[in-house]
Amino acid sequence: MININKIYEVTIKQYDEYFQGIAFVGKDKVIVPQALKNENCKVKIVKKIQQGYIGEIIKIKQMNKQRGKVNCAIYKKCGGCHLLHVKDEEQMTLKSEKIISLLQRSKVNHLQLKDIWQANKMQHYRNKVIIGFQKNHGKIEAGLYEEFSHRIVPYTSCLMHDETSDAIVKEICQWMNVARIAPYDPYTRRGFLRNVLIRKAEATNEMMVVFVTNTLTFPARKQLIQQLLKKFPQITSMIQNVNTRKTSIVLGDKEQIMYGKGYIEDVLCGYTFRLSSKSFYQIHHDQTEVLYQKAISLLQFSGSETLLDAYCGIGTIGVYASAFAHKVIGVELNKDAIKDAKENAKINKINHIDFVCDDATNYMMQLAKQKKNIDIVVLDPPRSGTTKECIQALAKLKPKQILYISCDPTTQIRDLEIFKQYRYEAKDMYISDQFPNSFHVESVVVLTPVR
Ligand code: SAH
């Protein structure tokens, strides 16, 4: 029996899915966050959980050579950087090993991990940040959300954020202190400012600040706009988003522009993209260019193809792929994203692309019913993956190639097993490091029909 608060000496044997170390005391499993394989550590047992116990490192007696320096004060509290203590190259090894192990345990175990597209920029890559606020001894504190919870971890700077975003947050805190703006309290549902969302267009330097508020009336609004513009002329849009719901979802439905155009424009792979507050946009600009270029280059084009970009967001992949195809159709559920996508086709003067606002599965089923000719499909679904019905419809449409880009290899592999039943298979898998220092991996395959 393990005792809570007691210290044990353990050796890390393996990792869990979040790259936390796993050790054993007798038959009991101890999960040790931030511990590397083969490390010998003194750990204090802090909690009992369903799978075993959580152990906190007190001292590392024998260190893994792949351990790197951590330069972050809130690393252990915020939990967003699962791999900050691991050297860059080793992060790639760990992510690859995870994918290989997932593949080996699956029904698509013939798939090979072919290549890793490593990011050059490992820090300060996040072009979007979401901040919460709280009061501590009468002073406003800005904070990040602790991983898998709604708890705010006070912060002043984050190694993953764009640095100007953190400076803007600091200025907002000053405005709150001076103008006596109350942060929203989810328990009492009182207070004004719920969240601030900041987006930066890496290539143009344009920034957007979204204030998520609990009421429509906006106290000291003019002061705030003036104060921010004076220090940060790169802010080209400020938006008030009203969210009065009892929910942890950040954005509400109602929005009004406080300053500027209401959107920002970025450049990706040579194309200009406008994005509004609610549209999805990839977090790591430079690595997204790598992902799109490398992924699209896996496809064979003759120039006469019709390409369907499913889960297209603001149309980034479709617009980029339009240079190689005869016709492109993009489908996406989010109304705002489709509005942006249509505008993006215009901005880039692309006439052979159409965007449809619909559920991807629904749309795929319609296309299959109409026996439409689709040669290439790009699937880039959210973490939940695609659906069995979508795959069924795809099998009826019989595209020659399906490029499946995924931000969760677990659901992708689940979907690849279904594709296999419909005689679509891939040979190789590629991973792209869209989220350095986190456990997240982007994986890419091209499926073709098996004859
Ligand atoms: N390909 C885009 C977006 C990928 S993120 C890019 O690279 O930027 C996944 C997208 O799927 C999001 O824009 C989300 O709004 C959209 N989405 C989620 N569920 C959907 C559904 N059922 N049908 C269509 N689109 C959906």
Side-chain angles (χ1 to χ4, degrees):
M1 244 313 258
I2 286 191
N3 293 321
I4 304 285
N5 286 331
K6 211 174 145 187
I7 292 170
Y8 294 85
E9 193 171 319
V10 298
T11 303
I12 306 300
K13 298 287 180 204
Q14 60 205 59
Y15 296 114
D16 72 1
E17 59 182 314
Y18 307 113
F19 300 113
Q20 305 183 101
I22 296 178
F24 292 91
V25 174
K27 276 188 181 159
D28 286 315
K29 193 193 246 186
V30 181
I31 295 172
V32 188
Q34 296 104 29
L36 289 178
K37 217 189 252 181
N38 298 325
E39 283 186 331
N40 186 266
C41 325
K42 274 190 170 173
V43 300
K44 182 175 165 188
I45 305 298
V46 289
K47 205 156 90 187
K48 167 100 185 81
I49 54 168
Q50 209 182 2
Q51 312 95 294
Y53 296 85
I54 300 281
E56 222 177 65
I57 300 179
I58 301 290
K59 190 179 175 182
I60 303 172
K61 292 185 75 178
Q62 203 180 332
M63 201 176 273
N64 185 321
K65 287 199 180 74
Q66 298 302 333
R67 179 174 282 279
K69 270 215 178 85
V70 174
N71 217 347
C72 171
I74 54 163
Y75 170 53
K76 288 189 178 168
K77 285 191 201 141
C78 127
C81 287
H82 318 88
L83 289 171
L84 198 59
H85 58 283
V86 183
K87 287 184 182 162
D88 298 356
E89 285 295 328
E90 181 69 2
Q91 291 194 20
M92 296 308 106
T93 308
L94 294 189
K95 289 186 181 187
S96 312
E97 282 173 1
K98 177 175 169 177
I99 295 283
I100 292 168
S101 143
L102 283 172
L103 285 171
Q104 278 170 352
R105 285 183 275 140
S106 76
K107 294 191 185 105
V108 288
N109 51 11
H110 60 280
L111 251 121
Q112 298 284 324
L113 177 59
K114 187 78 181 276
D115 202 1
I116 305 159
W117 307 331
Q118 192 173 348
N120 279 329
K121 200 172 176 180
M122 296 288 286
Q123 297 192 350
H124 299 295
Y125 62 82
R126 285 194 69 95
N127 59 19
K128 175 178 141 182
V129 306
I130 294 173
I131 306 294
F133 298 89
Q134 64 189 17
K135 228 174 188 175
N136 188 1
H137 297 290
K139 277 254 175 237
I140 298 291
E141 275 178 346
L144 308 171
Y145 286 97
E146 186 186 63
E147 176 96 326
F148 308 124
S149 98
H150 308 307
R151 220 170 310 154
I152 288 173
V153 181
Y155 98 114
T156 46
S157 64
C158 166
L159 284 176
M160 300 305 125
H161 288 180
D162 156 68
E163 282 141 312
T164 319
S165 304
D166 286 342
I168 293 174
V169 171
K170 216 178 255 175
E171 197 65 30
I172 294 170
C173 286
Q174 275 182 22
W175 164 77
M176 289 177 81
N177 279 322
V178 173
R180 298 179 177 278
I181 303 293
Y184 175 74
D185 178 342
Y187 298 102
T188 60
R189 300 185 66 196
R190 293 226 178 102
F192 174 68
L193 192 59
R194 289 176 75 123
N195 290 105
V196 163
L197 181 153
I198 303 175
R199 269 183 152 168
K200 179 185 179 182
E202 193 69 31
T204 61
N205 218 18
E206 287 184 6
M207 298 191 78
M208 169 197 283
V209 186
V210 183
F211 299 92
V212 186
T213 66
N214 188 32
T215 57
L216 190 60
T217 5
F218 201 126
R221 181 173 175 271
K222 255 196 192 147
Q223 226 170 299
L224 171 67
I225 297 173
Q226 278 169 4
Q227 196 174 330
L228 286 183
L229 287 180
K230 200 169 155 199
K231 273 215 172 144
F232 306 101
Q234 60 270 61
I235 300 177
T236 53
S237 276
M238 286 188 226
I239 293 163
Q240 178 185 9
N241 177 290
V242 186
N243 188 356
T244 53
R245 284 174 303 181
K246 192 180 171 183
T247 167
S248 59
I249 296 169
V250 176
L251 294 177
D253 295 330
K254 203 171 182 173
E255 275 197 359
Q256 57 186 33
I257 299 174
M258 296 163 64
Y259 171 80
K261 303 170 288 190
Y263 58 84
I264 50 173
E265 283 184 349
D266 202 3
V267 180
L268 262 184
C269 304
Y271 294 94
T272 301
F273 294 100
R274 124 179 179 176
L275 56 137
S276 45
S277 64
K278 289 185 196 160
S279 303
F280 174 89
Y281 190 61
Q282 292 277 353
I283 291 294
H284 191 316
H285 174 275
D286 299 0
Q287 191 58 13
T288 301
E289 291 190 323
V290 172
L291 170 70
Y292 288 176
Q293 280 160 2
K294 294 218 182 217
I296 294 294
S297 77
L298 299 174
L299 293 167
Q300 314 281 326
F301 288 94
S302 70
S304 62
E305 288 86 1
T306 299
L307 180 146
L308 174 66
D309 179 8
Y311 306 91
C312 69
I314 61 167
T316 42
I317 299 179
V319 164
Y320 174 61
S322 70
F324 312 104
H326 175 66
K327 181 160 181 50
V328 177
I329 309 166
V331 62
E332 157 71 45
L333 196 58
N334 180 327
K335 279 200 299 285
D336 295 311
I338 281 293
K339 220 166 121 194
D340 287 343
K342 286 183 174 163
E343 204 52 46
N344 290 332
K346 270 192 218 153
I347 297 172
N348 295 290
K349 300 192 172 60
I350 298 167
N351 299 319
H352 58 298
I353 189 162
D354 282 329
F355 288 102
V356 182
C357 187
D358 200 349
D359 165 61
T361 300
N362 205 21
Y363 188 66
M364 211 69 83
M365 284 161 65
Q366 268 181 44
L367 290 181
K369 220 188 249 168
Q370 295 161 5
K371 298 199 166 73
K372 277 269 164 39
N373 173 44
I374 305 284
D375 303 291
I376 300 177
V377 174
V378 177
L379 287 176
D380 185 12
R383 280 191 199 148
S384 49
T386 188
T387 63
K388 186 162 188 211
E389 292 73 21
C390 184
I391 297 172
Q392 236 165 6
L394 266 169
K396 279 190 196 145
L397 275 171
K398 295 197 182 66
K400 293 177 201 75
Q401 305 167 76
I402 301 169
L403 170 66
Y404 188 159
I405 302 175
S406 158
C407 49
D408 185 345
T410 314
T411 56
Q412 186 184 41
I413 289 171
R414 175 204 71 200
D415 291 343
L416 294 181
E417 292 178 341
I418 304 172
F419 269 113
K420 194 177 169 187
Q421 292 168 17
Y422 289 95
R423 305 192 60 76
Y424 268 89
E425 286 192 43
K427 275 212 309 277
D428 304 315
M429 184 175 272
Y430 300 81
I431 61 179
S432 182
D433 201 14
Q434 299 306 115
F435 315 98
N437 296 303
S438 83
F439 73 84
H440 296 288
V441 191
E442 193 95 359
S443 48
V444 177
V445 299
V446 175
L447 292 141
T448 50
V450 186
R451 274 169 243 275

